[in-house]
Amino acid sequence: MAIKQNAPRRKLSFSFKQNMFAYLLLFPSFIFLSLFTFYPTLKSIHLSFYSGPMTRLQYSGLEQYKEVFTDDIFRKVMLNNIIFVIGTVPTSLFLAMYLAIWLNKKMAGSALLRTSFFYPTVIPLIAVANIWLFIYTPQYGLLEKFLNAFGADGSNWLGSQSTVMIAMIIMIIWKDTGFFMIFYLAGLQNLPKDVYEAAMIEGAKPFQIFRHITFPLLMPTTLFVMIVAITNAFKNVDHLYIMTKGGPDNASNLLLYHIYEVAFTNWDLGKAAVLTVVLIIVLLGVTAFNYLFLDKKIHY
Amino acid sequence: MYKRINYSIIIILGIVFFIPLLWVFITSFSTSKEVIGSSFPLWVSNPTIQNYIDAWNAAPFLTYYFNTFVIVFGILIVQIFTITLAAYAFARVNFRGKNVLFILFLLQLMIQPEILLFPNYQVMSQLGLVDSKLAVMLPYWASAFGVFLLRQTFKQVPFDLDEASKIDGCKWWQTLWHVYVPSAKPTYIAFALVSVSHHWSNFMWPLIITNSDENRPLTVGLAKFAQSYETGAQWGMVTAGTVMVILPLLIAFFIFQKQFVSSFMHSGIK
């Protein structure tokens, strides 16, 4: 801009004006960010060094952390969350990629099928939990009736420690696969067509094409979707409220739900703060991975 | 051959994915005897709308709908205002501390308000806002995601247009209103769809911050309602309640299917 080449004094006053202008534009966003992101984050970090009842909080250094990290429930919850990530993320990503590859072609019925896979995305998780609670109910549930038709008997899927996690994982795969499929469909549409033509001429088999062309070219999409999926696995815990309350014996409990219990049932502020800090670190870690690793991979 | 096997798998999967929706609709029209008794749950021989009437009378769904509308659009309207200003600043103004502020905004993408359940509850109680619709909305009035999405679009507006409008004597807000906002219409639509569907579905935060029916959104209302009827005999009613909550979203989805899909795609690409 021409004004910038003016005398230093005018430039200074101009940039002061411009600074103020920008700050004013950012002010409305910033006030809400400060109140509901920065301040609560700092407050959690601060509180995590304190312990005791709400009215008589005492500085306790890392004592609270030590207590949390040696707590059996916390370990179980963290392990559950890791199992939950391992159970949901690779399966739903793989399924999403598979569906996208076959539904990418314009064919009769493919739009209908895409809808069938995508609609769970728009249903609130709490409503999904209602529906699946009845699917999993012993004796009258949909799954039980289905198994009965084959002469088999189901078990108490949500009531038993050995099956509750797998039941949740299947439900979340049902809910999220269609969402991830959309990203893969977008990714597929951006792939270079000439590479495929060349491969066809060379006589490559479909699986070879997938392994050597489609899969590596979809890598940026996969990494992006993976970050979203991992973050979701820590963030979305609504279903626990309806289906299991984290039970039986914490077998299905996840970190954010555990925070909810600790904070709003036990009113243990210090512990809730430590847990919140742990969750923040996990999420920052996942996103840092995104920016340090994914961003480099995305341009080749 | 190869193709046929894969398509068969996908069609079967498609049917499996569709069954829960079909089943919830059918059950919502079934009598309680049929819900438990019938051996083929995907059929109803004596359809009834009694479940809907009972559900509607058992919980204040009208209030829940109203609250959800107020919350969802209350969030969206303010978001559009805040993200437009911030996106314009980041896209077109040079100022001191731009990068630092940008990173601070980035933080909200990673630490989203829904994970700060407990410290945000404290903030609300300090503000004296516990159990109000305002408390459900406030944490979302700034949206880093929206700012990034819109900033990208604003950057693509030719600078000449901006300067031309200024030479014509437009004030900055007139330029913003007449040049930038219209050119970003598809981005606004994408953002609106993502925001509305996200907040329509939000549960944990409204659960914690509201404790009366006057302020509860549909999701929390449904959860409270479903919990008081856990036995099989009342499934008809609970599924009817569930359908009432998901139906507006499903209808919106089927009408705006293309926009929905492309906005979710759009929002992911950033």
Side-chain angles (χ1 to χ4, degrees):
Chain A
M1 272 183 283
I3 307 165
K4 275 200 168 167
Q5 281 133 29
N6 281 350
R9 226 180 125 242
R10 273 205 60 189
K11 188 182 158 194
L12 240 168
S13 73
F14 171 81
S15 90
F16 174 77
K17 242 174 101 184
Q18 204 164 0
N19 280 344
M20 284 321 286
F21 175 52
Y23 297 152
L24 281 176
L25 289 173
L26 294 173
F27 181 73
S29 291
F30 210 74
I31 192 161
F32 296 115
L33 286 178
S34 307
L35 265 176
F36 303 108
T37 302
F38 309 144
Y39 172 69
T41 302
L42 294 174
K43 173 124 188 172
S44 296
I45 296 170
H46 177 76
L47 254 180
S48 71
F49 297 112
Y50 286 81
S51 59
M54 211 189 312
T55 43
R56 282 173 288 121
L57 282 171
Q58 277 195 321
Y59 181 77
S60 64
L62 290 171
E63 212 38 52
Q64 191 78 240
Y65 281 87
K66 221 189 260 168
E67 215 171 284
V68 166
F69 286 127
T70 50
D71 178 22
D72 285 338
I73 297 177
F74 171 75
R75 290 186 177 184
K76 196 165 183 179
V77 165
M78 275 317 271
L79 185 68
N80 281 344
N81 228 323
I82 292 166
I83 293 170
F84 190 65
V85 167
I86 295 172
T88 53
V89 177
T91 321
S92 54
L93 256 63
F94 170 79
L95 199 57
M97 193 192 282
Y98 173 74
L99 293 172
I101 286 170
W102 288 94
L103 294 175
N104 189 30
K105 294 141 193 144
K106 280 215 164 70
M107 285 189 55
S110 73
L112 202 67
L113 280 167
R114 269 186 248 171
T115 305
S116 175
F117 292 114
F118 186 73
Y119 85 87
T121 302
V122 295
I123 300 180
L125 186 54
I126 200 76
V128 168
N130 262 342
I131 299 169
W132 282 73
L133 181 67
F134 294 150
I135 290 178
Y136 285 137
T137 302
Q139 289 166 37
Y140 329 114
L142 188 61
L143 186 59
E144 180 77 22
K145 283 180 179 169
F146 176 77
L147 289 172
N148 286 349
F150 294 93
D153 267 328
S155 70
N156 186 357
W157 305 106
L158 298 177
S160 129
Q161 290 208 40
S162 54
T163 50
V164 65
M165 203 47 148
I166 187 85
M168 295 293 182
I169 287 170
I170 289 170
M171 179 187 85
I172 295 295
I173 290 170
W174 174 81
K175 167 116 174 86
D176 282 348
T177 298
F179 182 52
F180 302 147
M181 177 186 78
I182 295 300
F183 294 109
Y184 278 118
L185 282 170
L188 284 170
Q189 261 145 40
N190 294 329
L191 296 189
K193 296 215 164 47
D194 46 338
V195 181
Y196 283 91
E197 277 158 19
M200 296 287 246
I201 292 164
E202 305 249 325
K205 295 209 170 61
F207 186 71
Q208 286 175 317
I209 292 182
F210 171 75
R211 224 200 110 191
H212 295 289
I213 303 175
T214 312
F215 186 77
L217 285 178
L218 282 178
M219 212 51 198
T221 311
T222 303
L223 283 169
F224 169 76
V225 176
M226 200 169 74
I227 305 293
V228 175
I230 296 173
T231 333
N232 278 352
F234 281 93
K235 229 176 58 189
N236 299 337
V237 296
D238 307 354
H239 56 289
L240 296 175
Y241 183 84
I242 285 276
M243 297 175 92
T244 63
K245 299 268 180 200
D249 194 21
N250 287 307
S252 64
N253 210 346
L254 300 175
L255 187 54
L256 184 57
Y257 193 79
H258 185 51
I259 294 176
Y260 161 75
E261 285 177 327
V262 168
F264 298 100
T265 335
N266 310 340
W267 293 99
D268 188 340
L269 294 176
K271 195 176 171 193
V274 173
L275 293 169
T276 304
V277 171
V278 171
L279 182 55
I280 288 171
I281 290 171
V282 168
L283 293 175
L284 283 180
V286 172
T287 326
F289 173 80
N290 179 8
Y291 285 96
L292 298 176
F293 184 67
L294 168 69
D295 254 19
K296 271 182 208 138
K297 278 254 166 173
I298 212 152
H299 323 275
Y300 31 62
Chain B
M1 184 62 198
Y2 200 74
K3 230 176 174 173
R4 219 173 269 173
I5 294 169
N6 281 297
Y7 271 108
S8 315
I9 294 173
I10 283 168
I11 288 165
I12 292 166
L13 272 175
I15 294 168
V16 170
F17 266 68
F18 186 67
I19 282 175
L21 183 67
L22 184 68
W23 177 79
V24 78
F25 269 104
I26 288 168
T27 308
S28 71
F29 290 106
S30 306
T31 58
S32 56
K33 227 169 44 196
E34 251 181 286
V35 171
I36 299 175
S38 91
S39 56
F40 187 67
L42 296 180
W43 181 253
V44 50
S45 29
N46 304 300
T48 166
I49 57 159
Q50 193 58 40
N51 292 322
Y52 285 89
I53 296 167
D54 290 345
W56 188 264
N57 291 329
F61 277 102
L62 202 61
T63 313
Y64 297 154
Y65 272 114
F66 174 75
N67 293 344
T68 298
F69 268 101
V70 170
I71 289 166
V72 163
F73 290 101
I75 291 173
L76 181 65
I77 288 163
V78 180
Q79 274 181 337
I80 285 181
F81 174 74
T82 59
I83 67 171
T84 302
L85 296 184
Y88 180 69
F90 281 126
R92 282 293 143 90
V93 187
N94 284 316
F95 57 95
R96 196 183 291 267
K98 191 174 183 175
N99 290 334
V100 177
L101 280 169
F102 197 65
I103 288 168
L104 281 177
F105 269 71
L106 251 171
L107 267 179
Q108 200 215 19
L109 282 186
M110 311 176 205
I111 310 170
Q112 288 169 11
E114 43 266 81
I115 71 152
L116 296 166
L117 291 177
F118 155 70
N120 273 341
Y121 180 87
Q122 283 192 310
V123 174
M124 287 304 170
S125 75
Q126 277 162 8
L127 294 172
L129 288 172
V130 173
D131 195 25
S132 67
K133 287 188 266 294
L134 193 61
V136 181
M137 298 186 256
L138 273 173
Y140 302 101
W141 274 0
S143 166
F145 164 66
V147 172
F148 290 125
L149 204 62
L150 203 57
R151 169 182 163 263
Q152 228 37 42
T153 317
F154 281 176
K155 277 193 155 181
Q156 282 157 16
V157 173
F159 212 80
D160 299 343
L161 265 179
D162 184 304
E163 293 209 307
S165 76
K166 279 190 181 129
I167 289 163
D168 285 347
C170 279
K171 293 273 194 294
W172 68 269
W173 66 81
Q174 290 168 319
T175 309
L176 187 57
W177 184 250
H178 292 294
V179 177
Y180 286 91
V181 172
S183 73
K185 213 172 139 198
T187 310
Y188 281 113
I189 291 171
F191 177 74
L193 280 173
V194 173
S195 169
V196 166
S197 65
H198 182 84
H199 292 292
W200 188 289
S201 301
N202 200 3
F203 172 72
M204 278 308 246
W205 174 244
L207 170 75
I208 288 159
I209 205 68
T210 61
N211 18 0
S212 64
D213 281 334
E214 291 105 86
N215 295 310
R216 268 183 199 139
L218 274 168
T219 47
V220 180
L222 175 68
K224 296 276 175 199
F225 169 74
Q227 279 202 322
S228 38
Y229 303 99
E230 271 181 350
T231 55
Q234 278 131 343
W235 281 7
M237 227 165 110
V238 178
T239 45
T242 309
V243 170
M244 292 195 300
V245 173
I246 65 175
L247 205 60
L249 284 170
L250 283 176
I251 290 172
F253 168 60
F254 285 116
I255 295 173
F256 301 109
Q257 200 167 7
K258 266 214 176 97
Q259 286 92 327
F260 248 100
V261 168
S262 74
S263 56
F264 275 100
M265 237 150 74
H266 210 87
S267 64
I269 293 159
K270 280 203 266 282

PDB file of all heavy atoms in Angstrom, chain B residues 7 9 11 13 22 29 70 74 80 108 150 160 170 182 190 197 207 222 226 229 235 237 241-242:
ATOM      1  N   TYR B   7     -19.654 -55.515  -4.100  1.00  0.00           N
ATOM      2  CA  TYR B   7     -20.940 -54.825  -4.041  1.00  0.00           C
ATOM      3  C   TYR B   7     -21.932 -55.553  -3.158  1.00  0.00           C
ATOM      4  O   TYR B   7     -22.707 -54.921  -2.451  1.00  0.00           O
ATOM      5  CB  TYR B   7     -21.512 -54.581  -5.452  1.00  0.00           C
ATOM      6  CG  TYR B   7     -21.017 -53.267  -5.988  1.00  0.00           C
ATOM      7  CD1 TYR B   7     -20.079 -53.199  -6.996  1.00  0.00           C
ATOM      8  CD2 TYR B   7     -21.472 -52.076  -5.420  1.00  0.00           C
ATOM      9  CE1 TYR B   7     -19.589 -51.981  -7.441  1.00  0.00           C
ATOM     10  CE2 TYR B   7     -20.991 -50.851  -5.855  1.00  0.00           C
ATOM     11  CZ  TYR B   7     -20.047 -50.816  -6.869  1.00  0.00           C
ATOM     12  OH  TYR B   7     -19.578 -49.609  -7.286  1.00  0.00           O
ATOM     13  N   ILE B   9     -21.176 -57.248  -0.493  1.00  0.00           N
ATOM     14  CA  ILE B   9     -20.782 -56.899   0.880  1.00  0.00           C
ATOM     15  C   ILE B   9     -21.321 -55.522   1.242  1.00  0.00           C
ATOM     16  O   ILE B   9     -21.901 -55.317   2.309  1.00  0.00           O
ATOM     17  CB  ILE B   9     -19.246 -56.930   1.037  1.00  0.00           C
ATOM     18  CG1 ILE B   9     -18.713 -58.360   0.857  1.00  0.00           C
ATOM     19  CG2 ILE B   9     -18.838 -56.392   2.416  1.00  0.00           C
ATOM     20  CD1 ILE B   9     -17.203 -58.460   0.839  1.00  0.00           C
ATOM     21  N   ILE B  11     -23.794 -53.796  -0.095  1.00  0.00           N
ATOM     22  CA  ILE B  11     -25.261 -53.734   0.010  1.00  0.00           C
ATOM     23  C   ILE B  11     -25.722 -54.324   1.346  1.00  0.00           C
ATOM     24  O   ILE B  11     -26.564 -53.733   2.030  1.00  0.00           O
ATOM     25  CB  ILE B  11     -25.925 -54.452  -1.187  1.00  0.00           C
ATOM     26  CG1 ILE B  11     -25.728 -53.586  -2.447  1.00  0.00           C
ATOM     27  CG2 ILE B  11     -27.408 -54.683  -0.942  1.00  0.00           C
ATOM     28  CD1 ILE B  11     -26.010 -54.298  -3.735  1.00  0.00           C
ATOM     29  N   LEU B  13     -23.974 -54.487   4.105  1.00  0.00           N
ATOM     30  CA  LEU B  13     -23.587 -53.500   5.125  1.00  0.00           C
ATOM     31  C   LEU B  13     -24.567 -52.332   5.147  1.00  0.00           C
ATOM     32  O   LEU B  13     -24.956 -51.850   6.206  1.00  0.00           O
ATOM     33  CB  LEU B  13     -22.183 -52.968   4.845  1.00  0.00           C
ATOM     34  CG  LEU B  13     -21.018 -53.744   5.432  1.00  0.00           C
ATOM     35  CD1 LEU B  13     -19.703 -53.146   4.944  1.00  0.00           C
ATOM     36  CD2 LEU B  13     -21.057 -53.699   6.952  1.00  0.00           C
ATOM     37  N   LEU B  22     -34.782 -47.972  10.817  1.00  0.00           N
ATOM     38  CA  LEU B  22     -36.029 -48.632  10.481  1.00  0.00           C
ATOM     39  C   LEU B  22     -36.692 -49.170  11.750  1.00  0.00           C
ATOM     40  O   LEU B  22     -37.882 -48.986  11.986  1.00  0.00           O
ATOM     41  CB  LEU B  22     -35.720 -49.790   9.515  1.00  0.00           C
ATOM     42  CG  LEU B  22     -36.906 -50.555   8.957  1.00  0.00           C
ATOM     43  CD1 LEU B  22     -37.702 -49.662   8.025  1.00  0.00           C
ATOM     44  CD2 LEU B  22     -36.437 -51.805   8.217  1.00  0.00           C
ATOM     45  N   PHE B  29     -44.234 -47.124  16.558  1.00  0.00           N
ATOM     46  CA  PHE B  29     -45.636 -47.293  16.191  1.00  0.00           C
ATOM     47  C   PHE B  29     -46.232 -48.612  16.692  1.00  0.00           C
ATOM     48  O   PHE B  29     -47.328 -48.982  16.312  1.00  0.00           O
ATOM     49  CB  PHE B  29     -45.806 -47.214  14.662  1.00  0.00           C
ATOM     50  CG  PHE B  29     -45.585 -45.832  14.122  1.00  0.00           C
ATOM     51  CD1 PHE B  29     -44.432 -45.520  13.427  1.00  0.00           C
ATOM     52  CD2 PHE B  29     -46.531 -44.832  14.326  1.00  0.00           C
ATOM     53  CE1 PHE B  29     -44.219 -44.245  12.939  1.00  0.00           C
ATOM     54  CE2 PHE B  29     -46.328 -43.559  13.841  1.00  0.00           C
ATOM     55  CZ  PHE B  29     -45.168 -43.254  13.144  1.00  0.00           C
ATOM     56  N   VAL B  70     -33.848 -21.867  20.400  1.00  0.00           N
ATOM     57  CA  VAL B  70     -33.243 -20.644  20.934  1.00  0.00           C
ATOM     58  C   VAL B  70     -31.734 -20.822  21.065  1.00  0.00           C
ATOM     59  O   VAL B  70     -30.949 -19.956  20.654  1.00  0.00           O
ATOM     60  CB  VAL B  70     -33.860 -20.276  22.308  1.00  0.00           C
ATOM     61  CG1 VAL B  70     -33.078 -19.167  22.987  1.00  0.00           C
ATOM     62  CG2 VAL B  70     -35.313 -19.871  22.140  1.00  0.00           C
ATOM     63  N   GLY B  74     -29.366 -18.982  18.711  1.00  0.00           N
ATOM     64  CA  GLY B  74     -28.690 -17.993  19.542  1.00  0.00           C
ATOM     65  C   GLY B  74     -27.181 -18.119  19.419  1.00  0.00           C
ATOM     66  O   GLY B  74     -26.455 -17.122  19.396  1.00  0.00           O
ATOM     67  N   ILE B  80     -21.778 -15.925  13.872  1.00  0.00           N
ATOM     68  CA  ILE B  80     -21.587 -15.319  12.551  1.00  0.00           C
ATOM     69  C   ILE B  80     -21.030 -13.917  12.689  1.00  0.00           C
ATOM     70  O   ILE B  80     -20.119 -13.515  11.958  1.00  0.00           O
ATOM     71  CB  ILE B  80     -22.910 -15.355  11.747  1.00  0.00           C
ATOM     72  CG1 ILE B  80     -23.120 -16.793  11.266  1.00  0.00           C
ATOM     73  CG2 ILE B  80     -22.879 -14.384  10.574  1.00  0.00           C
ATOM     74  CD1 ILE B  80     -24.336 -17.020  10.444  1.00  0.00           C
ATOM     75  N   GLN B 108      -8.263 -23.023  20.656  1.00  0.00           N
ATOM     76  CA  GLN B 108      -9.658 -23.423  20.867  1.00  0.00           C
ATOM     77  C   GLN B 108     -10.042 -24.628  19.997  1.00  0.00           C
ATOM     78  O   GLN B 108     -10.945 -25.377  20.343  1.00  0.00           O
ATOM     79  CB  GLN B 108     -10.622 -22.264  20.608  1.00  0.00           C
ATOM     80  CG  GLN B 108     -11.980 -22.501  21.263  1.00  0.00           C
ATOM     81  CD  GLN B 108     -13.139 -21.973  20.467  1.00  0.00           C
ATOM     82  OE1 GLN B 108     -13.049 -21.718  19.275  1.00  0.00           O
ATOM     83  NE2 GLN B 108     -14.265 -21.803  21.137  1.00  0.00           N
ATOM     84  N   LEU B 150     -13.644 -19.089   7.495  1.00  0.00           N
ATOM     85  CA  LEU B 150     -14.034 -17.858   6.832  1.00  0.00           C
ATOM     86  C   LEU B 150     -12.813 -17.057   6.371  1.00  0.00           C
ATOM     87  O   LEU B 150     -12.827 -16.438   5.303  1.00  0.00           O
ATOM     88  CB  LEU B 150     -14.875 -17.023   7.803  1.00  0.00           C
ATOM     89  CG  LEU B 150     -15.798 -15.999   7.187  1.00  0.00           C
ATOM     90  CD1 LEU B 150     -16.747 -16.658   6.206  1.00  0.00           C
ATOM     91  CD2 LEU B 150     -16.602 -15.311   8.285  1.00  0.00           C
ATOM     92  N   ASP B 160      -8.401  -6.020  -5.278  1.00  0.00           N
ATOM     93  CA  ASP B 160      -8.863  -4.888  -6.100  1.00  0.00           C
ATOM     94  C   ASP B 160     -10.295  -4.487  -5.753  1.00  0.00           C
ATOM     95  O   ASP B 160     -10.626  -3.309  -5.685  1.00  0.00           O
ATOM     96  CB  ASP B 160      -8.802  -5.251  -7.586  1.00  0.00           C
ATOM     97  CG  ASP B 160      -7.384  -5.579  -8.008  1.00  0.00           C
ATOM     98  OD1 ASP B 160      -6.465  -5.213  -7.238  1.00  0.00           O
ATOM     99  OD2 ASP B 160      -7.198  -6.198  -9.070  1.00  0.00           O
ATOM    100  N   CYS B 170     -16.556   3.754   0.460  1.00  0.00           N
ATOM    101  CA  CYS B 170     -17.160   2.842   1.432  1.00  0.00           C
ATOM    102  C   CYS B 170     -16.361   2.844   2.724  1.00  0.00           C
ATOM    103  O   CYS B 170     -15.142   2.840   2.718  1.00  0.00           O
ATOM    104  CB  CYS B 170     -17.166   1.416   0.893  1.00  0.00           C
ATOM    105  SG  CYS B 170     -18.504   1.061  -0.232  1.00  0.00           S
ATOM    106  N   PRO B 182     -21.102 -11.246   0.895  1.00  0.00           N
ATOM    107  CA  PRO B 182     -21.777 -11.956  -0.201  1.00  0.00           C
ATOM    108  C   PRO B 182     -20.893 -13.006  -0.871  1.00  0.00           C
ATOM    109  O   PRO B 182     -21.374 -14.073  -1.256  1.00  0.00           O
ATOM    110  CB  PRO B 182     -22.110 -10.841  -1.193  1.00  0.00           C
ATOM    111  CG  PRO B 182     -22.060  -9.587  -0.419  1.00  0.00           C
ATOM    112  CD  PRO B 182     -21.064  -9.793   0.666  1.00  0.00           C
ATOM    113  N   ALA B 190     -22.157 -23.537   4.855  1.00  0.00           N
ATOM    114  CA  ALA B 190     -21.462 -24.716   5.368  1.00  0.00           C
ATOM    115  C   ALA B 190     -21.283 -24.613   6.872  1.00  0.00           C
ATOM    116  O   ALA B 190     -21.590 -25.542   7.625  1.00  0.00           O
ATOM    117  CB  ALA B 190     -20.107 -24.871   4.681  1.00  0.00           C
ATOM    118  N   SER B 197     -26.096 -28.482  13.448  1.00  0.00           N
ATOM    119  CA  SER B 197     -26.220 -29.909  13.750  1.00  0.00           C
ATOM    120  C   SER B 197     -25.371 -30.274  14.967  1.00  0.00           C
ATOM    121  O   SER B 197     -25.749 -31.121  15.768  1.00  0.00           O
ATOM    122  CB  SER B 197     -25.858 -30.771  12.540  1.00  0.00           C
ATOM    123  OG  SER B 197     -24.511 -30.613  12.214  1.00  0.00           O
ATOM    124  N   LEU B 207     -26.360 -30.665  29.869  1.00  0.00           N
ATOM    125  CA  LEU B 207     -26.777 -31.516  31.002  1.00  0.00           C
ATOM    126  C   LEU B 207     -26.289 -30.926  32.321  1.00  0.00           C
ATOM    127  O   LEU B 207     -27.019 -30.870  33.311  1.00  0.00           O
ATOM    128  CB  LEU B 207     -26.204 -32.931  30.822  1.00  0.00           C
ATOM    129  CG  LEU B 207     -26.357 -33.855  32.036  1.00  0.00           C
ATOM    130  CD1 LEU B 207     -27.791 -34.341  32.161  1.00  0.00           C
ATOM    131  CD2 LEU B 207     -25.410 -35.036  31.962  1.00  0.00           C
ATOM    132  N   LEU B 222     -34.606 -35.540  26.457  1.00  0.00           N
ATOM    133  CA  LEU B 222     -34.777 -36.929  26.015  1.00  0.00           C
ATOM    134  C   LEU B 222     -34.084 -37.896  26.967  1.00  0.00           C
ATOM    135  O   LEU B 222     -34.638 -38.934  27.333  1.00  0.00           O
ATOM    136  CB  LEU B 222     -34.217 -37.096  24.599  1.00  0.00           C
ATOM    137  CG  LEU B 222     -34.223 -38.525  24.049  1.00  0.00           C
ATOM    138  CD1 LEU B 222     -35.645 -39.006  23.799  1.00  0.00           C
ATOM    139  CD2 LEU B 222     -33.407 -38.634  22.772  1.00  0.00           C
ATOM    140  N   ALA B 226     -35.978 -40.710  28.892  1.00  0.00           N
ATOM    141  CA  ALA B 226     -35.684 -42.126  28.627  1.00  0.00           C
ATOM    142  C   ALA B 226     -35.312 -42.856  29.907  1.00  0.00           C
ATOM    143  O   ALA B 226     -35.634 -44.030  30.083  1.00  0.00           O
ATOM    144  CB  ALA B 226     -34.566 -42.247  27.603  1.00  0.00           C
ATOM    145  N   TYR B 229     -38.026 -44.431  31.972  1.00  0.00           N
ATOM    146  CA  TYR B 229     -38.758 -45.577  31.407  1.00  0.00           C
ATOM    147  C   TYR B 229     -37.781 -46.595  30.862  1.00  0.00           C
ATOM    148  O   TYR B 229     -37.538 -46.654  29.677  1.00  0.00           O
ATOM    149  CB  TYR B 229     -39.671 -45.128  30.276  1.00  0.00           C
ATOM    150  CG  TYR B 229     -40.647 -44.081  30.690  1.00  0.00           C
ATOM    151  CD1 TYR B 229     -40.406 -42.736  30.419  1.00  0.00           C
ATOM    152  CD2 TYR B 229     -41.818 -44.430  31.354  1.00  0.00           C
ATOM    153  CE1 TYR B 229     -41.300 -41.768  30.813  1.00  0.00           C
ATOM    154  CE2 TYR B 229     -42.718 -43.462  31.747  1.00  0.00           C
ATOM    155  CZ  TYR B 229     -42.451 -42.131  31.476  1.00  0.00           C
ATOM    156  OH  TYR B 229     -43.336 -41.178  31.862  1.00  0.00           O
ATOM    157  N   TRP B 235     -40.834 -49.191  25.795  1.00  0.00           N
ATOM    158  CA  TRP B 235     -39.958 -48.877  24.667  1.00  0.00           C
ATOM    159  C   TRP B 235     -40.651 -48.059  23.609  1.00  0.00           C
ATOM    160  O   TRP B 235     -40.071 -47.179  23.024  1.00  0.00           O
ATOM    161  CB  TRP B 235     -39.484 -50.159  24.008  1.00  0.00           C
ATOM    162  CG  TRP B 235     -38.393 -50.797  24.761  1.00  0.00           C
ATOM    163  CD1 TRP B 235     -37.910 -50.429  25.983  1.00  0.00           C
ATOM    164  CD2 TRP B 235     -37.648 -51.909  24.343  1.00  0.00           C
ATOM    165  NE1 TRP B 235     -36.910 -51.262  26.340  1.00  0.00           N
ATOM    166  CE2 TRP B 235     -36.728 -52.183  25.351  1.00  0.00           C
ATOM    167  CE3 TRP B 235     -37.669 -52.702  23.200  1.00  0.00           C
ATOM    168  CZ2 TRP B 235     -35.825 -53.222  25.258  1.00  0.00           C
ATOM    169  CZ3 TRP B 235     -36.779 -53.745  23.108  1.00  0.00           C
ATOM    170  CH2 TRP B 235     -35.865 -53.997  24.132  1.00  0.00           C
ATOM    171  N   MET B 237     -42.825 -45.847  23.858  1.00  0.00           N
ATOM    172  CA  MET B 237     -42.838 -44.440  24.219  1.00  0.00           C
ATOM    173  C   MET B 237     -41.451 -43.803  24.071  1.00  0.00           C
ATOM    174  O   MET B 237     -41.315 -42.689  23.585  1.00  0.00           O
ATOM    175  CB  MET B 237     -43.270 -44.339  25.671  1.00  0.00           C
ATOM    176  CG  MET B 237     -44.316 -43.320  25.915  1.00  0.00           C
ATOM    177  SD  MET B 237     -44.982 -43.647  27.538  1.00  0.00           S
ATOM    178  CE  MET B 237     -44.377 -42.275  28.445  1.00  0.00           C
ATOM    179  N   GLY B 241     -40.248 -40.827  21.618  1.00  0.00           N
ATOM    180  CA  GLY B 241     -39.520 -39.632  22.046  1.00  0.00           C
ATOM    181  C   GLY B 241     -38.237 -39.452  21.247  1.00  0.00           C
ATOM    182  O   GLY B 241     -37.902 -38.340  20.825  1.00  0.00           O
ATOM    183  N   THR B 242     -37.535 -40.559  21.027  1.00  0.00           N
ATOM    184  CA  THR B 242     -36.291 -40.498  20.261  1.00  0.00           C
ATOM    185  C   THR B 242     -36.560 -40.020  18.837  1.00  0.00           C
ATOM    186  O   THR B 242     -35.843 -39.164  18.312  1.00  0.00           O
ATOM    187  CB  THR B 242     -35.618 -41.889  20.235  1.00  0.00           C
ATOM    188  OG1 THR B 242     -35.523 -42.373  21.568  1.00  0.00           O
ATOM    189  CG2 THR B 242     -34.246 -41.814  19.627  1.00  0.00           C
TER     190      THR B 242
END
